[in-house]
Amino acid sequence: MMTKYDTALYAPLLWTGESDEVLRDVTLICERGMLIDIVAGRSPNAADLGNAAIIPPLVNAHCHLEFSQLKQPFHTKQPFSKWIGETMRTRRENQNVSESIRTGIEESSAAGIEFLADVKTQSTDCYPDFEEIGLEVILFQEVIGLTDEAVDRQRELISSFVQEAGCFRLGLSPHAPFTVRPDLLEFCVRMSQEAEVPLMMHLAETQAELELLAEGTGELVEMLSQFGMWSAGMYPSGTQPLDLLKILSQAPRVLLAHGNYLDEQEIQFLAEHPQMHIVYCPRTHHYFGHSLHPWQSMLEAGVNVALGTDGRGSNPDLSIWNEVRFLMKQLPDVEPRRLLEMATINGAKSLGMDTTIQIGRPANWTVLVQKNSDAKPMTSLQDLLLADVWVKGDQN
C-alpha cells in the first residue's frame, strides 16, 4: 500500500541544531522535499536507517577544490613562503583542473557535506552543473593584485564576475594582506556592497603575515621581492589585522579564513560586528604547527566560528566530520554541541543560511550511521561524537 508521504525516515537520534536537546526514537515525515512533521516512534513504512543519527547538514566553509588531485599534503610546510611556492607550482602543473574540482566535489559529497565555500581561481566552466554534483558550492573569486597593472586587471575581473548568472552563488575572495593592495581590498568591499555578495579573506594566518603588516619585513616580503611584487610602504609601520578588519567590516558579510593570530581586541571587534565570521581549519592549523587557536575565546565572546578543511595541500582529506573528530580527540572536554554547531549551523550562518531542522523547511540534513550494527545505540551528542560512523548526505 502506498503511503501518502513521499518519505518517512526513522531516526533513533535527532539533533535539530536549535538547542542541546536531542530527540530519540522519532520519525521525520517529508512531502515534496519538505519536512512536514516529526512524530514519536516508528511510523508505518518509515525507512529504517539503522543505528543512526540525523543532524543539520555539514558545511565546509573554506576549501580550495583545485588541489583535490593531491593524495597527501605537501611535504614542504615551513617556511610558509616555500609552502606557497608549492601551491603555485602545483597550480601551474595541473593539466586538468576540472577533474581536480570534480574529484573534490565528489569526495565532499561522499563525506556528507551539503554546502561548500570554494576559493575559485579558474573559470566557472571548470565546475560541473549544480544538478550533477549533489551539493551546493558557493564560489568565491580569488583576487590577487599588488602592481598597478595587476590591480587594473583584477578590477575588471571582479566587475565581470559579480555579474555572472548561473547555478552558483557567488562571493569575492581578496586573498590575503600580502597579496592584495589596500586600494584593491577597498574596491572589493565596495563591489560586495553593490552586488550584495560576501567576502572571504585569509587573515592573521601566520606570524610572517603579522611581521609583514607591522614591520614590512620577513619571509613573505622576501618572497614578494623576488617576484618583483613588493612595494615598501604598502602598509604603514605598526599595521595590525585590526586595521584590515575595520575595512572589511563595511562589507555585508565577511568570512575570515583561519584567524590563527587574532588578539583579544580583534576578537572583540568581530563580536561587535556579527556580519563577520571566522572559519577555523583545525587539521590545517595543526599541519603548520601554529600556536593554540583562539576559537574557544571567539565563541565565548559571541563570534560565529565555522569549520573548513582548506585544501588537500595542507589536509589529508576534505571531511568536515574528520575535523570534528580531530578536535574531539584534541580537546575531549569540549562541549559536544559546540563542535557540532561549528560543523553545521555555524557554517551555514557564515554563508547567510539557517539550516536548523524545522517543520516547514526543506528536508536537508546529514545522516550518521554506526558502522557496527551491534553497537550500543547513540543516546546523546557525546555518544555521537565518540561513535564510529558512516557519514551520509541528505537521505530524502
Side-chain angles (χ1 to χ4, degrees), residues 85-119:
E86 284 289 287
T87 68
M88 295 171 64
R89 177 189 61 78
T90 300
R91 181 177 290 163
R92 288 194 305 269
E93 294 177 355
N94 189 353
Q95 300 297 311
N96 196 338
V97 179
S98 296
E99 184 61 28
S100 297
I101 290 172
R102 180 178 287 276
T103 296
I105 288 173
E106 290 174 351
E107 178 185 346
S108 300
S109 181
I113 292 168
E114 296 290 324
F115 301 97
L116 185 149
D118 184 45
V119 178

PDB file of all heavy atoms in Angstrom, residues 85-119:
ATOM      1  N   GLY A  85      55.019  28.503  -2.467  1.00  0.00           N
ATOM      2  CA  GLY A  85      55.659  28.147  -3.724  1.00  0.00           C
ATOM      3  C   GLY A  85      55.196  26.797  -4.244  1.00  0.00           C
ATOM      4  O   GLY A  85      55.017  26.607  -5.457  1.00  0.00           O
ATOM      5  N   GLU A  86      54.978  25.831  -3.342  1.00  0.00           N
ATOM      6  CA  GLU A  86      54.461  24.522  -3.732  1.00  0.00           C
ATOM      7  C   GLU A  86      53.068  24.636  -4.331  1.00  0.00           C
ATOM      8  O   GLU A  86      52.742  23.970  -5.312  1.00  0.00           O
ATOM      9  CB  GLU A  86      54.439  23.587  -2.520  1.00  0.00           C
ATOM     10  CG  GLU A  86      55.787  23.029  -2.119  1.00  0.00           C
ATOM     11  CD  GLU A  86      56.275  22.014  -3.134  1.00  0.00           C
ATOM     12  OE1 GLU A  86      55.738  20.893  -3.185  1.00  0.00           O
ATOM     13  OE2 GLU A  86      57.195  22.369  -3.903  1.00  0.00           O
ATOM     14  N   THR A  87      52.212  25.473  -3.743  1.00  0.00           N
ATOM     15  CA  THR A  87      50.852  25.631  -4.283  1.00  0.00           C
ATOM     16  C   THR A  87      50.901  26.255  -5.669  1.00  0.00           C
ATOM     17  O   THR A  87      50.152  25.849  -6.568  1.00  0.00           O
ATOM     18  CB  THR A  87      49.979  26.492  -3.360  1.00  0.00           C
ATOM     19  OG1 THR A  87      50.442  27.853  -3.343  1.00  0.00           O
ATOM     20  CG2 THR A  87      49.959  25.954  -1.942  1.00  0.00           C
ATOM     21  N   MET A  88      51.782  27.228  -5.867  1.00  0.00           N
ATOM     22  CA  MET A  88      51.896  27.884  -7.174  1.00  0.00           C
ATOM     23  C   MET A  88      52.405  26.901  -8.223  1.00  0.00           C
ATOM     24  O   MET A  88      51.892  26.875  -9.358  1.00  0.00           O
ATOM     25  CB  MET A  88      52.817  29.099  -7.057  1.00  0.00           C
ATOM     26  CG  MET A  88      52.269  30.203  -6.155  1.00  0.00           C
ATOM     27  SD  MET A  88      53.484  31.502  -5.823  1.00  0.00           S
ATOM     28  CE  MET A  88      53.741  32.159  -7.466  1.00  0.00           C
ATOM     29  N   ARG A  89      53.398  26.097  -7.852  1.00  0.00           N
ATOM     30  CA  ARG A  89      53.933  25.113  -8.791  1.00  0.00           C
ATOM     31  C   ARG A  89      52.866  24.089  -9.160  1.00  0.00           C
ATOM     32  O   ARG A  89      52.689  23.744 -10.336  1.00  0.00           O
ATOM     33  CB  ARG A  89      55.145  24.412  -8.166  1.00  0.00           C
ATOM     34  CG  ARG A  89      55.742  23.314  -9.049  1.00  0.00           C
ATOM     35  CD  ARG A  89      56.800  22.515  -8.307  1.00  0.00           C
ATOM     36  NE  ARG A  89      56.260  21.847  -7.126  1.00  0.00           N
ATOM     37  CZ  ARG A  89      55.550  20.722  -7.174  1.00  0.00           C
ATOM     38  NH1 ARG A  89      55.296  20.138  -8.335  1.00  0.00           N
ATOM     39  NH2 ARG A  89      55.106  20.178  -6.060  1.00  0.00           N
ATOM     40  N   THR A  90      52.135  23.608  -8.152  1.00  0.00           N
ATOM     41  CA  THR A  90      51.100  22.605  -8.400  1.00  0.00           C
ATOM     42  C   THR A  90      50.004  23.169  -9.294  1.00  0.00           C
ATOM     43  O   THR A  90      49.495  22.476 -10.186  1.00  0.00           O
ATOM     44  CB  THR A  90      50.493  22.136  -7.059  1.00  0.00           C
ATOM     45  OG1 THR A  90      51.544  21.573  -6.268  1.00  0.00           O
ATOM     46  CG2 THR A  90      49.400  21.105  -7.276  1.00  0.00           C
ATOM     47  N   ARG A  91      49.645  24.411  -9.073  1.00  0.00           N
ATOM     48  CA  ARG A  91      48.618  25.045  -9.914  1.00  0.00           C
ATOM     49  C   ARG A  91      49.087  25.128 -11.358  1.00  0.00           C
ATOM     50  O   ARG A  91      48.326  24.849 -12.281  1.00  0.00           O
ATOM     51  CB  ARG A  91      48.300  26.431  -9.365  1.00  0.00           C
ATOM     52  CG  ARG A  91      47.227  27.188 -10.138  1.00  0.00           C
ATOM     53  CD  ARG A  91      46.945  28.518  -9.475  1.00  0.00           C
ATOM     54  NE  ARG A  91      46.263  28.339  -8.196  1.00  0.00           N
ATOM     55  CZ  ARG A  91      46.167  29.275  -7.255  1.00  0.00           C
ATOM     56  NH1 ARG A  91      46.768  30.450  -7.436  1.00  0.00           N
ATOM     57  NH2 ARG A  91      45.504  29.041  -6.144  1.00  0.00           N
ATOM     58  N   ARG A  92      50.342  25.511 -11.565  1.00  0.00           N
ATOM     59  CA  ARG A  92      50.878  25.619 -12.932  1.00  0.00           C
ATOM     60  C   ARG A  92      50.910  24.266 -13.627  1.00  0.00           C
ATOM     61  O   ARG A  92      50.637  24.159 -14.827  1.00  0.00           O
ATOM     62  CB  ARG A  92      52.293  26.212 -12.910  1.00  0.00           C
ATOM     63  CG  ARG A  92      52.382  27.678 -12.584  1.00  0.00           C
ATOM     64  CD  ARG A  92      53.765  28.212 -12.931  1.00  0.00           C
ATOM     65  NE  ARG A  92      54.829  27.449 -12.271  1.00  0.00           N
ATOM     66  CZ  ARG A  92      55.340  27.745 -11.086  1.00  0.00           C
ATOM     67  NH1 ARG A  92      54.876  28.795 -10.415  1.00  0.00           N
ATOM     68  NH2 ARG A  92      56.315  27.014 -10.564  1.00  0.00           N
ATOM     69  N   GLU A  93      51.241  23.215 -12.880  1.00  0.00           N
ATOM     70  CA  GLU A  93      51.457  21.903 -13.494  1.00  0.00           C
ATOM     71  C   GLU A  93      50.174  21.105 -13.657  1.00  0.00           C
ATOM     72  O   GLU A  93      50.187  20.071 -14.342  1.00  0.00           O
ATOM     73  CB  GLU A  93      52.452  21.105 -12.638  1.00  0.00           C
ATOM     74  CG  GLU A  93      53.850  21.709 -12.633  1.00  0.00           C
ATOM     75  CD  GLU A  93      54.812  20.952 -11.734  1.00  0.00           C
ATOM     76  OE1 GLU A  93      54.355  20.000 -11.038  1.00  0.00           O
ATOM     77  OE2 GLU A  93      56.000  21.305 -11.704  1.00  0.00           O
ATOM     78  N   ASN A  94      49.101  21.533 -13.052  1.00  0.00           N
ATOM     79  CA  ASN A  94      47.845  20.778 -13.139  1.00  0.00           C
ATOM     80  C   ASN A  94      47.245  20.940 -14.532  1.00  0.00           C
ATOM     81  O   ASN A  94      46.812  22.025 -14.922  1.00  0.00           O
ATOM     82  CB  ASN A  94      46.863  21.266 -12.077  1.00  0.00           C
ATOM     83  CG  ASN A  94      45.635  20.375 -11.964  1.00  0.00           C
ATOM     84  OD1 ASN A  94      45.439  19.451 -12.756  1.00  0.00           O
ATOM     85  ND2 ASN A  94      44.805  20.643 -10.975  1.00  0.00           N
ATOM     86  N   GLN A  95      47.192  19.845 -15.279  1.00  0.00           N
ATOM     87  CA  GLN A  95      46.708  19.883 -16.651  1.00  0.00           C
ATOM     88  C   GLN A  95      45.202  19.662 -16.761  1.00  0.00           C
ATOM     89  O   GLN A  95      44.636  19.798 -17.840  1.00  0.00           O
ATOM     90  CB  GLN A  95      47.444  18.822 -17.486  1.00  0.00           C
ATOM     91  CG  GLN A  95      48.943  19.021 -17.544  1.00  0.00           C
ATOM     92  CD  GLN A  95      49.320  20.327 -18.216  1.00  0.00           C
ATOM     93  OE1 GLN A  95      48.832  20.642 -19.305  1.00  0.00           O
ATOM     94  NE2 GLN A  95      50.171  21.104 -17.562  1.00  0.00           N
ATOM     95  N   ASN A  96      44.566  19.294 -15.663  1.00  0.00           N
ATOM     96  CA  ASN A  96      43.129  19.014 -15.717  1.00  0.00           C
ATOM     97  C   ASN A  96      42.460  19.516 -14.437  1.00  0.00           C
ATOM     98  O   ASN A  96      42.104  18.741 -13.554  1.00  0.00           O
ATOM     99  CB  ASN A  96      42.873  17.518 -15.906  1.00  0.00           C
ATOM    100  CG  ASN A  96      41.448  17.238 -16.356  1.00  0.00           C
ATOM    101  OD1 ASN A  96      40.543  18.057 -16.155  1.00  0.00           O
ATOM    102  ND2 ASN A  96      41.225  16.082 -16.954  1.00  0.00           N
ATOM    103  N   VAL A  97      42.309  20.831 -14.357  1.00  0.00           N
ATOM    104  CA  VAL A  97      41.728  21.433 -13.159  1.00  0.00           C
ATOM    105  C   VAL A  97      40.284  20.995 -12.980  1.00  0.00           C
ATOM    106  O   VAL A  97      39.825  20.760 -11.853  1.00  0.00           O
ATOM    107  CB  VAL A  97      41.824  22.967 -13.237  1.00  0.00           C
ATOM    108  CG1 VAL A  97      41.201  23.598 -11.996  1.00  0.00           C
ATOM    109  CG2 VAL A  97      43.269  23.412 -13.380  1.00  0.00           C
ATOM    110  N   SER A  98      39.555  20.866 -14.073  1.00  0.00           N
ATOM    111  CA  SER A  98      38.152  20.449 -13.980  1.00  0.00           C
ATOM    112  C   SER A  98      38.026  19.102 -13.275  1.00  0.00           C
ATOM    113  O   SER A  98      37.135  18.909 -12.440  1.00  0.00           O
ATOM    114  CB  SER A  98      37.521  20.367 -15.375  1.00  0.00           C
ATOM    115  OG  SER A  98      37.469  21.622 -15.990  1.00  0.00           O
ATOM    116  N   GLU A  99      38.925  18.182 -13.599  1.00  0.00           N
ATOM    117  CA  GLU A  99      38.893  16.861 -12.971  1.00  0.00           C
ATOM    118  C   GLU A  99      39.233  16.964 -11.483  1.00  0.00           C
ATOM    119  O   GLU A  99      38.642  16.266 -10.648  1.00  0.00           O
ATOM    120  CB  GLU A  99      39.867  15.915 -13.671  1.00  0.00           C
ATOM    121  CG  GLU A  99      39.830  14.491 -13.147  1.00  0.00           C
ATOM    122  CD  GLU A  99      38.478  13.827 -13.328  1.00  0.00           C
ATOM    123  OE1 GLU A  99      37.737  14.204 -14.273  1.00  0.00           O
ATOM    124  OE2 GLU A  99      38.146  12.938 -12.511  1.00  0.00           O
ATOM    125  N   SER A 100      40.194  17.829 -11.140  1.00  0.00           N
ATOM    126  CA  SER A 100      40.536  18.023  -9.730  1.00  0.00           C
ATOM    127  C   SER A 100      39.344  18.549  -8.950  1.00  0.00           C
ATOM    128  O   SER A 100      39.045  18.080  -7.840  1.00  0.00           O
ATOM    129  CB  SER A 100      41.709  18.996  -9.601  1.00  0.00           C
ATOM    130  OG  SER A 100      42.867  18.483 -10.216  1.00  0.00           O
ATOM    131  N   ILE A 101      38.657  19.529  -9.531  1.00  0.00           N
ATOM    132  CA  ILE A 101      37.498  20.114  -8.861  1.00  0.00           C
ATOM    133  C   ILE A 101      36.398  19.076  -8.703  1.00  0.00           C
ATOM    134  O   ILE A 101      35.783  18.953  -7.625  1.00  0.00           O
ATOM    135  CB  ILE A 101      37.016  21.347  -9.642  1.00  0.00           C
ATOM    136  CG1 ILE A 101      38.029  22.492  -9.507  1.00  0.00           C
ATOM    137  CG2 ILE A 101      35.630  21.786  -9.161  1.00  0.00           C
ATOM    138  CD1 ILE A 101      37.758  23.673 -10.381  1.00  0.00           C
ATOM    139  N   ARG A 102      36.145  18.324  -9.758  1.00  0.00           N
ATOM    140  CA  ARG A 102      35.115  17.280  -9.666  1.00  0.00           C
ATOM    141  C   ARG A 102      35.484  16.236  -8.606  1.00  0.00           C
ATOM    142  O   ARG A 102      34.629  15.787  -7.842  1.00  0.00           O
ATOM    143  CB  ARG A 102      34.905  16.613 -11.023  1.00  0.00           C
ATOM    144  CG  ARG A 102      33.837  15.514 -11.007  1.00  0.00           C
ATOM    145  CD  ARG A 102      33.625  14.924 -12.376  1.00  0.00           C
ATOM    146  NE  ARG A 102      32.910  15.846 -13.255  1.00  0.00           N
ATOM    147  CZ  ARG A 102      31.591  15.965 -13.290  1.00  0.00           C
ATOM    148  NH1 ARG A 102      30.841  15.214 -12.484  1.00  0.00           N
ATOM    149  NH2 ARG A 102      31.023  16.802 -14.122  1.00  0.00           N
ATOM    150  N   THR A 103      36.758  15.877  -8.552  1.00  0.00           N
ATOM    151  CA  THR A 103      37.212  14.918  -7.546  1.00  0.00           C
ATOM    152  C   THR A 103      36.928  15.440  -6.141  1.00  0.00           C
ATOM    153  O   THR A 103      36.447  14.708  -5.266  1.00  0.00           O
ATOM    154  CB  THR A 103      38.716  14.639  -7.712  1.00  0.00           C
ATOM    155  OG1 THR A 103      38.942  14.009  -8.971  1.00  0.00           O
ATOM    156  CG2 THR A 103      39.243  13.744  -6.596  1.00  0.00           C
ATOM    157  N   GLY A 104      37.223  16.724  -5.918  1.00  0.00           N
ATOM    158  CA  GLY A 104      36.980  17.312  -4.611  1.00  0.00           C
ATOM    159  C   GLY A 104      35.507  17.385  -4.265  1.00  0.00           C
ATOM    160  O   GLY A 104      35.112  17.171  -3.112  1.00  0.00           O
ATOM    161  N   ILE A 105      34.681  17.692  -5.252  1.00  0.00           N
ATOM    162  CA  ILE A 105      33.238  17.754  -5.034  1.00  0.00           C
ATOM    163  C   ILE A 105      32.690  16.371  -4.706  1.00  0.00           C
ATOM    164  O   ILE A 105      31.883  16.204  -3.774  1.00  0.00           O
ATOM    165  CB  ILE A 105      32.536  18.353  -6.260  1.00  0.00           C
ATOM    166  CG1 ILE A 105      32.836  19.857  -6.350  1.00  0.00           C
ATOM    167  CG2 ILE A 105      31.026  18.119  -6.201  1.00  0.00           C
ATOM    168  CD1 ILE A 105      32.324  20.521  -7.608  1.00  0.00           C
ATOM    169  N   GLU A 106      33.145  15.368  -5.442  1.00  0.00           N
ATOM    170  CA  GLU A 106      32.672  14.007  -5.194  1.00  0.00           C
ATOM    171  C   GLU A 106      33.115  13.523  -3.816  1.00  0.00           C
ATOM    172  O   GLU A 106      32.348  12.875  -3.089  1.00  0.00           O
ATOM    173  CB  GLU A 106      33.183  13.071  -6.283  1.00  0.00           C
ATOM    174  CG  GLU A 106      32.525  13.320  -7.641  1.00  0.00           C
ATOM    175  CD  GLU A 106      33.131  12.499  -8.763  1.00  0.00           C
ATOM    176  OE1 GLU A 106      34.190  11.862  -8.513  1.00  0.00           O
ATOM    177  OE2 GLU A 106      32.564  12.484  -9.866  1.00  0.00           O
ATOM    178  N   GLU A 107      34.344  13.845  -3.436  1.00  0.00           N
ATOM    179  CA  GLU A 107      34.823  13.467  -2.109  1.00  0.00           C
ATOM    180  C   GLU A 107      34.005  14.155  -1.022  1.00  0.00           C
ATOM    181  O   GLU A 107      33.625  13.537  -0.018  1.00  0.00           O
ATOM    182  CB  GLU A 107      36.296  13.838  -1.953  1.00  0.00           C
ATOM    183  CG  GLU A 107      36.851  13.511  -0.572  1.00  0.00           C
ATOM    184  CD  GLU A 107      38.279  13.992  -0.376  1.00  0.00           C
ATOM    185  OE1 GLU A 107      38.950  14.338  -1.367  1.00  0.00           O
ATOM    186  OE2 GLU A 107      38.713  14.019   0.794  1.00  0.00           O
ATOM    187  N   SER A 108      33.705  15.434  -1.219  1.00  0.00           N
ATOM    188  CA  SER A 108      32.934  16.203  -0.236  1.00  0.00           C
ATOM    189  C   SER A 108      31.524  15.659  -0.110  1.00  0.00           C
ATOM    190  O   SER A 108      30.986  15.510   1.002  1.00  0.00           O
ATOM    191  CB  SER A 108      32.898  17.676  -0.635  1.00  0.00           C
ATOM    192  OG  SER A 108      34.203  18.225  -0.691  1.00  0.00           O
ATOM    193  N   SER A 109      30.908  15.354  -1.240  1.00  0.00           N
ATOM    194  CA  SER A 109      29.556  14.810  -1.218  1.00  0.00           C
ATOM    195  C   SER A 109      29.525  13.464  -0.495  1.00  0.00           C
ATOM    196  O   SER A 109      28.631  13.195   0.316  1.00  0.00           O
ATOM    197  CB  SER A 109      29.034  14.651  -2.649  1.00  0.00           C
ATOM    198  OG  SER A 109      27.712  14.153  -2.659  1.00  0.00           O
ATOM    199  N   ALA A 110      30.535  12.621  -0.762  1.00  0.00           N
ATOM    200  CA  ALA A 110      30.609  11.324  -0.096  1.00  0.00           C
ATOM    201  C   ALA A 110      30.825  11.469   1.405  1.00  0.00           C
ATOM    202  O   ALA A 110      30.453  10.580   2.177  1.00  0.00           O
ATOM    203  CB  ALA A 110      31.735  10.489  -0.704  1.00  0.00           C
ATOM    204  N   ALA A 111      31.391  12.595   1.831  1.00  0.00           N
ATOM    205  CA  ALA A 111      31.626  12.861   3.249  1.00  0.00           C
ATOM    206  C   ALA A 111      30.439  13.554   3.911  1.00  0.00           C
ATOM    207  O   ALA A 111      30.552  14.035   5.043  1.00  0.00           O
ATOM    208  CB  ALA A 111      32.880  13.715   3.422  1.00  0.00           C
ATOM    209  N   GLY A 112      29.304  13.607   3.208  1.00  0.00           N
ATOM    210  CA  GLY A 112      28.083  14.142   3.797  1.00  0.00           C
ATOM    211  C   GLY A 112      27.971  15.648   3.803  1.00  0.00           C
ATOM    212  O   GLY A 112      27.058  16.207   4.418  1.00  0.00           O
ATOM    213  N   ILE A 113      28.870  16.336   3.106  1.00  0.00           N
ATOM    214  CA  ILE A 113      28.825  17.801   3.079  1.00  0.00           C
ATOM    215  C   ILE A 113      27.740  18.258   2.107  1.00  0.00           C
ATOM    216  O   ILE A 113      27.665  17.785   0.975  1.00  0.00           O
ATOM    217  CB  ILE A 113      30.196  18.370   2.690  1.00  0.00           C
ATOM    218  CG1 ILE A 113      31.204  18.080   3.811  1.00  0.00           C
ATOM    219  CG2 ILE A 113      30.123  19.872   2.419  1.00  0.00           C
ATOM    220  CD1 ILE A 113      32.640  18.331   3.424  1.00  0.00           C
ATOM    221  N   GLU A 114      26.907  19.188   2.556  1.00  0.00           N
ATOM    222  CA  GLU A 114      25.801  19.679   1.733  1.00  0.00           C
ATOM    223  C   GLU A 114      26.070  21.068   1.160  1.00  0.00           C
ATOM    224  O   GLU A 114      25.519  21.433   0.130  1.00  0.00           O
ATOM    225  CB  GLU A 114      24.516  19.717   2.564  1.00  0.00           C
ATOM    226  CG  GLU A 114      24.035  18.354   3.037  1.00  0.00           C
ATOM    227  CD  GLU A 114      23.520  17.494   1.904  1.00  0.00           C
ATOM    228  OE1 GLU A 114      22.901  18.044   0.972  1.00  0.00           O
ATOM    229  OE2 GLU A 114      23.742  16.272   1.941  1.00  0.00           O
ATOM    230  N   PHE A 115      26.928  21.864   1.838  1.00  0.00           N
ATOM    231  CA  PHE A 115      27.260  23.213   1.379  1.00  0.00           C
ATOM    232  C   PHE A 115      28.768  23.396   1.499  1.00  0.00           C
ATOM    233  O   PHE A 115      29.370  23.036   2.510  1.00  0.00           O
ATOM    234  CB  PHE A 115      26.534  24.272   2.212  1.00  0.00           C
ATOM    235  CG  PHE A 115      25.038  24.151   2.166  1.00  0.00           C
ATOM    236  CD1 PHE A 115      24.358  23.484   3.183  1.00  0.00           C
ATOM    237  CD2 PHE A 115      24.306  24.680   1.111  1.00  0.00           C
ATOM    238  CE1 PHE A 115      22.979  23.356   3.151  1.00  0.00           C
ATOM    239  CE2 PHE A 115      22.931  24.550   1.068  1.00  0.00           C
ATOM    240  CZ  PHE A 115      22.262  23.876   2.091  1.00  0.00           C
ATOM    241  N   LEU A 116      29.372  23.988   0.457  1.00  0.00           N
ATOM    242  CA  LEU A 116      30.827  24.127   0.418  1.00  0.00           C
ATOM    243  C   LEU A 116      31.192  25.479  -0.184  1.00  0.00           C
ATOM    244  O   LEU A 116      30.699  25.844  -1.256  1.00  0.00           O
ATOM    245  CB  LEU A 116      31.431  22.989  -0.403  1.00  0.00           C
ATOM    246  CG  LEU A 116      32.950  22.885  -0.481  1.00  0.00           C
ATOM    247  CD1 LEU A 116      33.371  21.421  -0.612  1.00  0.00           C
ATOM    248  CD2 LEU A 116      33.528  23.688  -1.645  1.00  0.00           C
ATOM    249  N   ALA A 117      32.057  26.217   0.506  1.00  0.00           N
ATOM    250  CA  ALA A 117      32.542  27.507   0.013  1.00  0.00           C
ATOM    251  C   ALA A 117      33.930  27.303  -0.576  1.00  0.00           C
ATOM    252  O   ALA A 117      34.878  26.975   0.148  1.00  0.00           O
ATOM    253  CB  ALA A 117      32.583  28.527   1.148  1.00  0.00           C
ATOM    254  N   ASP A 118      34.045  27.483  -1.886  1.00  0.00           N
ATOM    255  CA  ASP A 118      35.301  27.223  -2.585  1.00  0.00           C
ATOM    256  C   ASP A 118      35.937  28.516  -3.051  1.00  0.00           C
ATOM    257  O   ASP A 118      35.258  29.401  -3.589  1.00  0.00           O
ATOM    258  CB  ASP A 118      35.043  26.317  -3.797  1.00  0.00           C
ATOM    259  CG  ASP A 118      36.339  25.931  -4.504  1.00  0.00           C
ATOM    260  OD1 ASP A 118      37.299  25.567  -3.802  1.00  0.00           O
ATOM    261  OD2 ASP A 118      36.387  26.002  -5.744  1.00  0.00           O
ATOM    262  N   VAL A 119      37.263  28.627  -2.845  1.00  0.00           N
ATOM    263  CA  VAL A 119      38.018  29.763  -3.373  1.00  0.00           C
ATOM    264  C   VAL A 119      38.372  29.434  -4.815  1.00  0.00           C
ATOM    265  O   VAL A 119      39.151  28.528  -5.096  1.00  0.00           O
ATOM    266  CB  VAL A 119      39.279  30.029  -2.546  1.00  0.00           C
ATOM    267  CG1 VAL A 119      40.061  31.194  -3.158  1.00  0.00           C
ATOM    268  CG2 VAL A 119      38.905  30.344  -1.098  1.00  0.00           C
TER     269      VAL A 119
END
